[in-house]
Amino acid sequence: MNRAVMLRFAACGAIGLGAALLTAALLLSAYTSSRIEKIPLNIDATLISEGNGTALDAASLSGDHVVINQNVPLVSQQQISVELPSNAQVVTLQVGSSVRRSDRQKDSGLLLAIVDTVTLNRKTAMAVSDDSHPGGSVQKPRGIGDESPPTSIPLTHHGLSYRFPIHTERKTYPYFDPIAQKAFDAEYEGEEDVNGLTAYRFTQSVGVNSEGNPVAPIPYPSLYSGEEDRRITTSAQMWGVPGEPGEQIEMTRYYTAKRTFWVDPVSGTIVKQTDQAHHYYARNALKPEVTLADYKVTSTPDTVESQVNAARDERDRMALWSRVLPITLTATGLIALIGGGVLASFSLRTESALTDPGLDRDDTDFLRRAGLEPPVPGAEAETEKIPAQRPEPPGEPPPADSPTVESGNPGPTESPPDPPPAGPPERT
C-alpha cells in the first residue's frame, strides 16, 4: 500500500470521526439535555428546621383548663421520598411533615403531623391533576394506639409542591399548602448567597399581610369525617376565657402562615426554608383566643449544607450533558475535520507526484524548506555536475608573443611528455 492510499484512508477516517462527533454534540444539545434537565427520581431527604414559639400543653387537656406554654423549643421535620407512579415525565413525592416540642417525649410533644403525596411534572414541578386524577392525596390521621393501616384521602393539588421548576425564573409561582389545601402565590423578592450558592428568595403569605398580621385566616380543613378538630365546644373555664365557668363556647380552628424559600435557580431545589405559622381557636377569625401553636422555624445548618450539595450535584449533572460534553465534542469534531482536510490535501499531492515525478520533487523541496521533511541521505542527494577544463591539442607551438626564459620573464614550465597511447599490454 503506497503513501497516497494510506493518507486517503487516514483523511476519510478523520473526516468521518469529526462528522460523528459534531452529530453527537448536536444530539446532546437538542435531544439528550432536555431529558436530563428534570427532577431526579432518587430523592431521599430528611429536612430539619428548628426554632421556638408558643404551644399548647397536651397534658393540660385532661385538667380543668388548657395551658399555653411560652417560648418552647420546637423542631419541624420533613421526610421526602419518591413513590409510584414515577417515570420519564412525572415523579411522585411522599412527604411526611411534623412539628413537635423538643422538650417533651414521644407523642406528648407532637403538635402537628401530616403525610402528603403529590405527583409532579419533572420539568415544571407543577402538580399533575385533572378531574379523574387529583394528582395527590393526604393520609387520614389516626388516633394514638390505632394499629389499623393508614388510609389516604384524595386531595387535588395545584401549583408547585416541595420543589421549584428547573431553571426557575424571577417571577411569582403558585405554591401549594397541604394544610390549607390551596395554592398561594410565592413572590420573587431577590437574590441571596446561601453557602456560596446564589439563590432566589421567594415569600409566600397564607392569610396574613406582609407584616404577618392576619387578614384572611384559613378555616382549618379537617381530615376527620366529623371535623372533630375543626370546631370544638367546651366550657369557658376549659378555654380559659372570660365568662361563666360552665358556659359552653364553640370555637373554630384557624390557620395562617408565612414562608420564605431560598431556591437554586438551576435545579429548582429549595436549599433553605423558614416557616412562620399560627394555629389557633377563636370565635372571631381576626381575634385569636386560644393558641394551639405559634412558631417560627428555620432550616438547620446541616440541612442547608445537605441541600446546597444536592443542588450542586444536580447542576453538575445537567452541565455535563448540556454544556461540557457538547462543547468538548464540537471542538474535537472540528479539529478532526480540519485534520482530515489537511490529510486529504497531502493525499492528492502525493497521488499526483506518483504520476509526475517532477511534482514529487517540487513537493519534497517544498516540505524540506518548510522543515517538514528530513534531509535525504548523501547517497540519494542530487549532485552538481562541474564541467571539466578542455585540454589544448598537443604539438602546437606557443604563440610568438608568449614570454620566454631568455627574455628574463618567467614562462610556463615544460609540460611532461605525453603518455604513450593506451593499447593492449605486451605479452611475454
Side-chain angles (χ1 to χ4, degrees), residues 34-68:
S34 63
R35 283 154 177 76
I36 293 296
E37 296 179 345
K38 294 182 178 181
I39 298 175
L41 297 176
N42 60 346
I43 298 176
D44 186 7
T46 300
L47 312 180
I48 306 295
S49 298
E50 294 180 342
N52 51 49
T54 301
L56 182 142
D57 185 356
S60 66
L61 296 177
S62 58
D64 295 335
H65 62 277
V66 296
V67 176
I68 310 300

Side-chain angles (χ1 to χ4, degrees), residues 100-110:
R100 64 173 57 250
R101 296 177 57 163
S102 57
D103 61 341
R104 299 295 173 87
Q105 299 296 320
K106 298 182 179 180
D107 292 330
S108 62
L110 184 63

